[in-house]
Amino acid sequence: MNATARLAAAGALSFVLGACATTPGEPADRDEDRTSKAEVDDAGTATGGEKPPSALDDPTNPDFPEPLIDLDDLLSGGPPPDGIPSIDYPLFQPVSEVNWLEDDEPVLSLTINGKTKAYPIRIMTWHEIVNDRLAGVPVAVTYCPLCNSGVAFERTIAGETTTFKVSGKLYADNLVMYDRLTESLWPQLTGRASVGALTGTQLESIPVGAVGWRQFREEHPDARVLSRSTGHDREYVTNPYVGYDDPDSEPLFALPTGRDARLPLKARVVGVGEGKNAVAVSRDLLADRGVQHVALGQERVVLWHAPGQVSALDTQQIPDGAEIGSVAAFLADTPGRALNFERADDGTFRDAQTGSVWNLFGRATSGPLAGERLTAVEHLDTFWFAWAAFQPETRLVANP
């Protein structure tokens, strides 16, 4: 079966299973930071109790502002709206009770105001959006398998909290979300409403990154983990996109911006910045060097790579995927001090100025700066085609 056929079959399977509502028996709870039913219900009610026209129903409605993307490039990925069901009432388990993840499996790690949760990719692959709260902040945690991109947003628009759903549409092979407040359309990789009543509105994004399960649990033993008790029956260990991350394979659809031939379309990159300040660093180069410093305007950013994570888009069983390692991005400076880093043989990082040792999560574990934390920087750990499509002016740092 070729990649297109596999993806079509996966989309059809998602739609069929979307009607199922069985919950695997697994101890879990929604803890104090839960999304309430009232919050989800209210998220679909616009101010004044009236909804504007829906971009889901008619993206060409003349009452909408001029769209930010060409509507001809807004394509159906297969499932209809909500055919891939978001998780609106997420349940969580303590790290200590999770025995169903393998050490190198990828999870999205999100920290807000000192509180942390993990969202396993084996679950995110089948749902793509989790409407949640963390440290009191309403968030949408998102993952697009076709771009291998995890992004988190505050789900507050002009002071109103809403929830986000999967539209079934793709733009540049990227997940297009819709908000329940107005049913405007939002490409995940911009976080900007691009079609509909809210066109031009920008969501506030929050740094989030994929790491291996062992890496996560050792750093955050008191955190909570998204449970498999989702209300849906899925094979949560199975990858429905087998072989999709082959660097020489094609995306599902032709790209609206054309091909950027500087790298293979599905070469993995780590992207930071935007517009003329955008920089993409090849994951191959980063894996070789362990550390890459880049300039973003007046800021210095350091990118790290450490072994300990497998690909979720390789083999049929996610834990069997090829090793790709984990990456992270931080401001390279602490208050009053510019730092330069190198990776040690044990997968930790050391700064040349003080000799302090830092872990993948930007925490100094020993040395003069022990206990200090670097400031996380928003980054995209994604495929080259996706980064180049949304950041066409990007610089590229890669092996010759």
Side-chain angles (χ1 to χ4, degrees):
M1 184 183 294
N2 63 30
T4 300
R6 278 199 304 270
L7 290 168
L13 179 62
S14 286
F15 175 60
V16 170
L17 291 178
C20 301
T22 59
T23 303
E26 179 172 278
D29 62 64
R30 294 214 302 267
D31 65 38
E32 72 282 358
D33 244 353
R34 61 185 176 272
T35 306
S36 68
K37 185 176 186 302
E39 181 178 344
V40 173
D41 291 343
D42 290 347
T45 304
T47 302
E50 295 183 2
K51 269 193 173 182
S54 168
L56 276 177
D57 296 336
D58 180 13
T60 65
N61 191 301
D63 292 339
F64 294 152
E66 186 73 19
L68 302 183
I69 59 178
D70 189 332
L71 296 182
D72 289 339
D73 295 320
L74 189 64
L75 303 175
S76 172
D82 303 325
I84 298 174
S86 63
I87 299 176
D88 295 337
Y89 308 103
L91 303 177
F92 292 86
Q93 293 178 272
V95 163
S96 60
E97 295 180 6
V98 175
N99 60 6
W100 44 271
L101 290 171
E102 300 297 329
D103 283 350
D104 291 347
E105 266 195 69
V107 301
L108 292 179
S109 175
L110 178 65
T111 299
I112 299 177
N113 297 330
K115 288 192 173 184
T116 301
K117 286 181 178 177
Y119 303 82
I121 295 297
R122 65 159 69 184
I123 300 175
M124 298 299 299
T125 294
W126 293 93
H127 296 281
E128 302 191 4
I129 300 175
V130 178
N131 292 293
D132 195 15
R133 280 184 175 269
L134 183 54
V137 178
V139 295
V141 182
T142 70
Y143 175 70
C144 175
L146 298 184
C147 295
N148 188 50
S149 52
V151 188
F153 304 101
E154 291 190 28
R155 51 184 177 84
T156 302
I157 303 170
E160 296 203 42
T161 300
T162 188
T163 54
F164 285 86
K165 301 281 194 174
V166 180
S167 72
K169 300 291 187 182
L170 298 172
Y171 175 76
D173 275 34
N174 183 229
L175 158 68
V176 175
M177 313 179 292
Y178 76 92
D179 67 275
R180 291 190 65 228
L181 196 66
T182 70
E183 296 186 353
S184 298
L185 302 180
W186 312 66
Q188 180 219 27
L189 288 181
T190 65
R192 181 179 293 114
S194 297
V195 185
L198 292 178
T199 294
T201 303
Q202 179 69 54
L203 295 175
E204 186 71 28
S205 56
I206 308 166
V208 65
V211 297
W213 167 237
R214 182 188 334 195
Q215 293 167 332
F216 180 89
R217 72 172 188 257
E218 288 180 352
E219 178 66 11
H220 300 292
D222 299 322
R224 304 185 74 79
V225 182
L226 181 66
S227 167
R228 293 175 298 176
S229 294
T230 63
H232 300 274
D233 186 11
R234 298 291 189 274
E235 294 289 339
Y236 284 128
V237 73
T238 300
N239 163 32
Y241 306 97
V242 176
Y244 179 77
D245 63 350
D246 180 344
D248 295 320
S249 64
E250 296 285 322
L252 184 57
F253 296 115
L255 302 170
T257 54
R259 303 170 71 103
D260 188 318
R262 286 180 285 174
L263 285 177
L265 289 176
K266 289 186 185 171
R268 293 175 182 267
V269 299
V270 183
V272 291
E274 60 182 2
K276 294 182 178 179
N277 284 329
V279 181
V281 177
S282 160
R283 249 179 166 271
D284 287 343
L285 176 142
L286 192 56
D288 290 343
R289 297 181 179 178
V291 172
Q292 180 68 40
H293 297 84
V294 298
L296 292 185
Q298 301 301 309
E299 294 183 329
R300 294 174 62 247
V301 171
V302 62
L303 305 179
W304 291 348
H305 179 281
Q309 181 191 159
V310 299
S311 167
L313 296 168
D314 181 16
T315 52
Q316 185 174 31
Q317 301 293 301
I318 289 175
D320 297 334
E323 163 72 23
I324 59 171
S326 298
V327 300
F330 303 97
L331 293 180
D333 305 329
T334 59
R337 191 192 304 265
L339 299 174
N340 295 294
F341 296 90
E342 63 179 8
R343 185 179 62 188
D345 291 339
D346 62 358
T348 61
F349 307 87
R350 287 176 171 80
D351 69 75
Q353 284 70 26
T354 74
S356 298
V357 176
W358 303 75
N359 68 11
L360 182 67
F361 297 87
R363 178 172 61 88
T365 58
S366 64
L369 300 181
E372 291 199 25
R373 290 186 178 273
L374 299 175
T375 300
V377 171
E378 294 167 28
H379 67 281
L380 281 175
D381 182 5
T382 188
F383 295 126
W384 171 241
F385 81 81
W387 180 257
F390 287 90
Q391 301 295 340
E393 298 179 275
T394 188
R395 291 178 286 144
L396 173 64
V397 181
N399 289 318

